[in-house]
Amino acid sequence: MAQERFFLELDPPHGTMADWPHVVIVGGGFAGLKACHVLAGKPVRVTLIDKRNFNLFQPLLYQVASGLVSEADVASPLRQMVGEAANIQVLLGEVVDIDPEAREVVFNDHRYAYDRLILASGSGSTYFGHEEWRPLAPPMKILEHADEIRRRLLMALEEAEQTRDPERRRFLQSVVVVGAGPAGCELAGSLIELMHRAVARDFKQLDRAQCRVILLDAVDRVLPAMAADLSADAAAYLQRAGVELRLNTLVEAIEPGRVILRRPAAIAVDGIAGEGADTGDDGLGDLEAATICWTAGVRASRLGRLLAERTGAPVDRGGRLQVEADFSLPGHPEIRAVGDLCHYAHTADGRVLPGMAGPAVQMGGWVARDILAGLDGRPSEPFRWFDLGSMAVIGPWYAVADLRGLHVSGLAGWILWALAHLAFIPDTENRIALFSKWMWQIATRQRTALLITGRPDQHIGVDVGLERALPPGDPGPSPDQSPEAPSSGAANRVISTPRITAM
């Protein structure tokens, strides 16, 4: 007899599963995937909903952007990771609404009932009210972003190889990275290394000395969330590698090929203030570069503010839901928010948990176990976050790590960084592929994924979720339902399901 695997709420299941509680998980990132692993094989029906059909290991996106690894090395299909469990169903779609009173989620024009809801929809990028900058400076949150950064940089180098104008060539060999946090430092260090190696080995007309990567931020030191000595080590390495640091500097505007700067009104200076930064009073000038990247802002999924409207739950300035000690929404114990979507301040020191992989995995696992305990009538131990520390890789064989007060930099930091990331990668095949590619790149300095693919601005308006193939002659949605739909009469068209972006 076939296993019971299919339990869409439109077609209620038969047999034993019909009486099992239904847990809906929105988002297949670190937290959502961990919750699925804990619930696999347990007496609950689980539906995992994600607008992409894969789990993305976001911390390594910068390696895709700089050609170190390919897309498949940092992404794993959700169905292969958790879909084989008999009690887990994976559905492709984007949740556009939630009805807490009816206990239903809305996606793909359907309403699905839940008994327990785990929201793990993650975060996106914010430009602090300047969305017009997005086409000019791609963020780095999804695969299409990384592909676009790589495409823009490689196209600029290809054009520079053919131009006779030295000023134009310098412009094409220039990159600006906005944001000096871990993602910005990792991207800047990787891009300068890529440019130096590519120009020295692959481009005959270009001068390595003309390669320029500028790391820009309003803070007074790189990696401001890490200890001051590790920030100093990272800044020193980046400068030795050729990265220019422009700190204590705000972005006034971004135009095609240009970043307009201004000084912050007030600068909080600490022990390493201004190291490597332009701190003079003679004006900042503008930065001209063919490639501009944005890693400076993060915002929670829009589902946070949606739930705040539906339930009255408070949100912080970043749109994260302020949750109770068990990650539930006030007045709605059946709804839990985890990962980047939650503002969790029920820690021993009252500090909000950071939006990192470690806390997300621990949140997802604890919430899943707490749900199982509640169904069994057992109490749960309070959530206790185990701080694994923070780390950032700055270049080949060089990383900085803060392991609960133990500060490590250089080769030892890189080894710790590599082991930690390999441990967090959920797919064994990807672990092996990444390790082999890292070793190959270190041994040969050759990058394996320097392909120019896609179309210009492919990171804008990425359409994700379920698409419906229409038979010939089907007019599809009417214009008032989907203004983006193509004209009627086209054969074998694919129409996107009408929805509101909930990233």
Side-chain angles (χ1 to χ4, degrees):
M1 181 177 178
Q3 287 184 308
E4 296 175 285
R5 296 176 58 89
F6 307 101
F7 41 86
L8 287 175
E9 287 299 299
L10 294 180
D11 185 15
H14 301 286
T16 57
M17 279 194 186
D19 298 325
W20 289 357
H22 189 199
V23 180
V24 172
I25 302 174
V26 180
F30 289 111
L33 194 63
K34 181 62 177 180
C36 283
H37 284 147
V38 172
L39 296 174
K42 305 299 183 181
V44 292
R45 294 182 290 124
V46 180
T47 299
L48 173 63
I49 304 172
D50 200 302
K51 56 186 179 181
R52 315 303 291 263
N53 75 332
F54 55 84
N55 168 271
L56 174 64
F57 194 77
Q58 212 171 69
L60 293 183
L61 267 182
Y62 79 93
Q63 295 198 2
V64 178
S66 57
L68 276 168
V69 300
S70 63
E71 292 90 337
D73 295 326
V74 298
S76 305
L78 289 171
R79 294 185 181 278
Q80 293 181 14
M81 302 180 74
V82 296
E84 293 183 1
N87 67 318
I88 296 180
Q89 177 174 247
V90 180
L91 297 179
L92 180 67
E94 185 171 4
V95 172
V96 298
D97 203 355
I98 299 173
D99 187 342
E101 299 304 320
R103 296 194 178 188
E104 293 177 335
V105 296
V106 180
F107 76 108
N108 296 344
D109 297 334
H110 300 304
R111 301 176 72 90
Y112 289 86
Y114 62 83
D115 297 303
R116 303 289 189 277
L117 176 63
I118 301 177
L119 295 172
S121 49
S123 62
S125 300
T126 180
Y127 289 77
F128 306 110
H130 293 279
E131 281 299 311
E132 70 275 12
W133 297 350
R134 188 177 293 269
L136 306 175
M140 199 170 59
K141 277 291 185 179
I142 59 177
L143 284 176
E144 286 81 0
H145 297 160
D147 289 341
E148 177 67 5
I149 291 171
R150 184 184 67 236
R151 190 195 66 81
R152 290 190 183 195
L153 177 59
L154 294 180
M155 286 294 288
L157 293 179
E158 292 288 351
E159 182 183 345
E161 179 79 348
Q162 302 179 36
T163 184
R164 291 186 172 89
D165 182 354
E167 290 299 319
R168 176 70 177 171
R169 194 179 301 122
R170 276 193 288 271
F171 167 76
L172 292 167
Q173 289 180 241
S174 297
V175 178
V176 171
V177 178
V178 182
C185 289
E186 291 169 343
L187 182 61
S190 191
L191 290 183
I192 193 66
E193 202 264 343
L194 162 62
M195 294 174 71
H196 284 167
R197 294 291 173 181
V199 166
R201 299 176 60 161
D202 304 326
F203 292 88
K204 303 298 188 293
Q205 308 300 322
L206 302 186
D207 181 2
R208 184 179 185 273
Q210 297 296 323
C211 295
R212 189 183 185 199
V213 174
I214 304 101
L215 183 61
L216 166 69
D217 205 323
V219 299
D220 53 19
R221 61 186 176 99
V222 302
L223 302 175
M226 299 185 74
D229 60 327
L230 295 178
S231 293
D233 289 347
Y237 179 90
L238 287 170
Q239 290 178 297
R240 290 196 303 270
V243 176
E244 301 175 33
L245 303 185
R246 298 290 295 270
L247 306 175
N248 298 319
T249 305
L250 284 173
V251 174
E252 176 73 19
I254 299 179
E255 299 175 351
R258 183 189 302 272
V259 180
I260 301 171
L261 310 175
R262 69 177 174 87
R263 185 77 66 197
I267 300 174
V269 180
D270 65 12
I272 62 167
E275 181 175 344
D278 176 6
T279 57
D281 297 324
D282 54 348
L284 297 176
D286 301 337
L287 296 175
E288 295 186 353
T291 306
I292 305 171
C293 312
W294 183 272
T295 66
V298 176
R299 61 165 173 79
S301 160
R302 292 194 180 96
L303 288 182
R305 297 198 182 277
L306 174 66
L307 259 296
E309 296 174 1
R310 296 288 187 272
T311 67
V315 294
D316 64 11
R317 292 180 58 187
R320 296 181 299 175
L321 290 161
Q322 297 184 24
V323 296
E324 304 285 6
D326 63 351
F327 297 94
S328 65
L329 302 191
H332 289 273
E334 76 282 359
I335 302 177
R336 315 287 187 104
V338 292
D340 289 350
L341 186 59
C342 82
H343 173 111
Y344 189 89
H346 304 279
T347 53
D349 57 5
R351 299 179 62 180
V352 178
L353 291 184
M356 300 167 59
V361 170
Q362 294 178 46
M363 293 178 199
W366 186 90
V367 165
R369 289 189 294 271
D370 186 63
I371 288 175
L372 293 174
L375 294 174
D376 291 340
R378 296 181 287 106
S380 293
E381 291 292 329
F383 175 76
R384 294 287 184 267
W385 172 50
F386 183 78
D387 186 2
L388 299 173
S390 58
M391 53 188 66
V393 62
I394 311 300
W397 295 99
Y398 195 97
V400 293
D402 182 352
L403 304 179
R404 307 185 70 185
L406 175 63
H407 298 170
V408 183
S409 60
L411 174 59
W414 186 91
I415 293 173
L416 290 171
W417 170 89
L419 291 174
H421 281 68
L422 288 174
F424 270 108
I425 291 173
D427 185 73
T428 301
E429 181 181 352
N430 281 2
R431 288 195 197 104
I432 297 172
L434 283 168
F435 181 77
S436 62
K437 288 187 177 182
W438 288 346
M439 295 301 101
W440 175 259
Q441 193 274 331
I442 289 170
T444 67
R445 298 300 191 192
Q446 293 182 0
R447 300 186 178 225
T448 59
L450 294 178
L451 305 179
I452 301 176
T453 60
R455 55 178 177 77
D457 297 327
Q458 58 193 347
H459 70 297
I460 302 297
V462 178
D463 193 19
V464 295
L466 184 67
E467 294 182 334
R468 297 175 179 174
L470 299 181
D474 191 324
S478 61
D480 61 325
Q481 292 175 307
S482 179
E484 299 298 325
S487 59
S488 61
N492 297 321
R493 290 166 297 137
V494 177
I495 304 297
S496 298
T497 303
R499 57 189 178 275
I500 304 170
T501 302
M503 176 178 167

